[in-house]
Amino acid sequence: MEITDVRIRRLSTNTLVNKMRAIVSITLEEAFVIHDIKVIQGTDKLFIAMPSRKMDDGTYQDIAHPIKAEFREKIQSAILARYESALAVHAAEA
């Protein structure tokens, strides 16, 4: 399954307050889109969090997620590459 588009829907430049760096949408095979994937700053690296909803007990459950680790890595790599290029464009415009 190919990732045919990655769009940064919101880019957060306030890195001191918020660990969420961006909200992203991806398109698969030009036929299926997943919205609200978050780019999060972890303790030592960036990672993605799939769209989720809050449950009655206060925990969060993914709405959609990859089943295979290899595909998750493919999604994460594509998103983080697009995020880095969006940061570079933002920095050049500032």
Side-chain angles (χ1 to χ4, degrees), residues 3-70:
I3 300 166
T4 53
D5 191 25
V6 177
R7 294 183 188 219
I8 304 291
R9 294 178 45 219
R10 189 176 336 158
L11 184 65
S12 175
T13 56
N14 188 354
T15 59
L16 297 176
V17 175
N18 195 350
K19 291 186 180 216
M20 186 175 66
R21 301 294 186 243
I23 297 177
V24 180
S25 294
I26 63 169
T27 304
L28 306 173
E29 302 276 332
E30 296 183 7
F32 189 80
V33 68
I34 303 171
H35 295 294
D36 297 334
I37 300 172
K38 296 168 193 71
V39 176
I40 307 289
Q41 179 64 58
T43 55
D44 59 343
K45 65 179 183 173
L46 292 169
F47 65 93
I48 63 167
M50 298 303 288
S52 60
R53 66 174 167 214
K54 191 172 186 177
M55 305 305 290
D56 290 340
D57 64 0
T59 61
Y60 287 86
Q61 183 175 21
D62 286 349
I63 295 169
H65 59 89
I67 295 172
K68 296 184 177 183
E70 297 84 17

